[in-house]
């Protein structure tokens, strides 16, 4: 499998959330790396080809009241990041192109998407429609959002807790495997 990476060739000192996290704790693209941190924070590093040691004093996104369950960058704008949290809220952040120069706190987000009565477990960007996001909550609701207007486009309900959420490649359907051990396919347009 090769040699272990040398010190400085990886990120270290990464305290993971103490709560159970069901989605992605890492998101990356050609410009940024984002990591779910403890206490509902997100560490964002500008990818400079160098790796860093993180500390709790680094600038972070600190806009949730509970653990970040999932995060992901927009496929259209590399500095736009969605976060879904156990606080039931999905937020969309516009990270400065040069990286964080101060904490981004509650109120500095681009959009706040409220509508889940329990933890927001997943946030997934539509692969073909800019500023369209889907989220899944622990209560079983699958929501499609117009991020620019901060409003729900559609809501579907599962009778079980979602374990995953993904868009079809053409962005027309959503799929979710849930705790009932079934694959649910939803058309957000109906």
């Amino acid at each position: 499998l090769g040699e272990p990476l040398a010190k400085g060739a990886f990120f270290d000192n990464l305290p993971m959330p103490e709560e159970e996290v069901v989605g992605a704790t890492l998101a990356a693209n050609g410009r940024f790396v984002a990591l779910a941190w403890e206490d509902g924070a997100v560490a964002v590093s500008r990818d400079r080809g160098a790796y860093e040691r993180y500390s709790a004093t680094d600038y972070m996104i600190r806009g949730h009241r509970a653990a970040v369950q999932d995060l992901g960058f927009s496929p259209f704008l590399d500095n736009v990041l969605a976060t879904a949290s156990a606080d039931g809220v999905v937020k969309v952040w516009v990270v400065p192109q040069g990286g964080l120069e101060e904490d981004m706190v509650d109120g500095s987000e681009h959009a706040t998407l409220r509508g889940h009565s329990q933890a927001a477990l997943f946030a997934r960007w539509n692969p073909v429609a800019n500023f369209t996001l889907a989220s899944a909550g622990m209560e079983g609701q699958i929501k499609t959002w117009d991020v620019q207007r901060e409003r729900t486009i559609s809501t579907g309900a599962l009778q079980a807790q979602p374990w995953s959420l993904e868009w079809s490649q053409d962005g027309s359907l959503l799929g979710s495997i849930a705790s009932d051990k079934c694959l649910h396919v939803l058309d957000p347009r109906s």
Side-chain angles (χ1 to χ4, degrees), residues 109-121:
E109 63 272 11
H110 173 75
T112 300
L113 309 174
R114 298 181 192 280
H116 290 291
S117 61
Q118 296 181 27
L121 302 175

Side-chain angles (χ1 to χ4, degrees), residues 162-184:
W163 285 350
S164 65
L165 182 66
E166 294 296 332
W167 285 97
S168 61
Q169 195 170 16
D170 68 0
S172 65
L173 299 172
L174 283 161
S176 178
I177 295 176
S179 59
D180 60 3
K181 299 180 183 169
C182 294
L183 169 62
H184 301 269

Side-chain angles (χ1 to χ4, degrees), residues 73-92:
F73 286 102
S74 165
F76 298 96
L77 300 165
D78 59 9
N79 66 324
V80 175
L81 177 70
T83 56
S85 172
D87 62 13
V89 179
V90 175
K91 293 189 177 188
V92 176

Side-chain angles (χ1 to χ4, degrees), residues 92-105:
V92 176
W93 307 88
V94 177
V95 178
Q97 289 290 352
L100 296 180
E101 295 178 3
E102 62 184 356
D103 281 349
M104 295 183 78
V105 296

Side-chain angles (χ1 to χ4, degrees), residues 19-44:
E19 299 174 40
E20 180 182 351
V21 174
V22 295
T25 58
L26 167 71
N29 59 27
R31 174 170 254 142
F32 296 103
V33 176
L35 305 153
W37 200 263
E38 59 190 359
D39 300 326
V42 176
V44 179

Side-chain angles (χ1 to χ4, degrees), residues 4 7 37 60 73 79 94 99 122 129 135 138 140-141 145 170:
K7 193 87 167 147
W37 200 263
M60 294 190 197
F73 286 102
N79 66 324
V94 177
F122 301 99
S135 65
M138 188 177 282
Q141 288 192 341
W145 301 92
D170 68 0

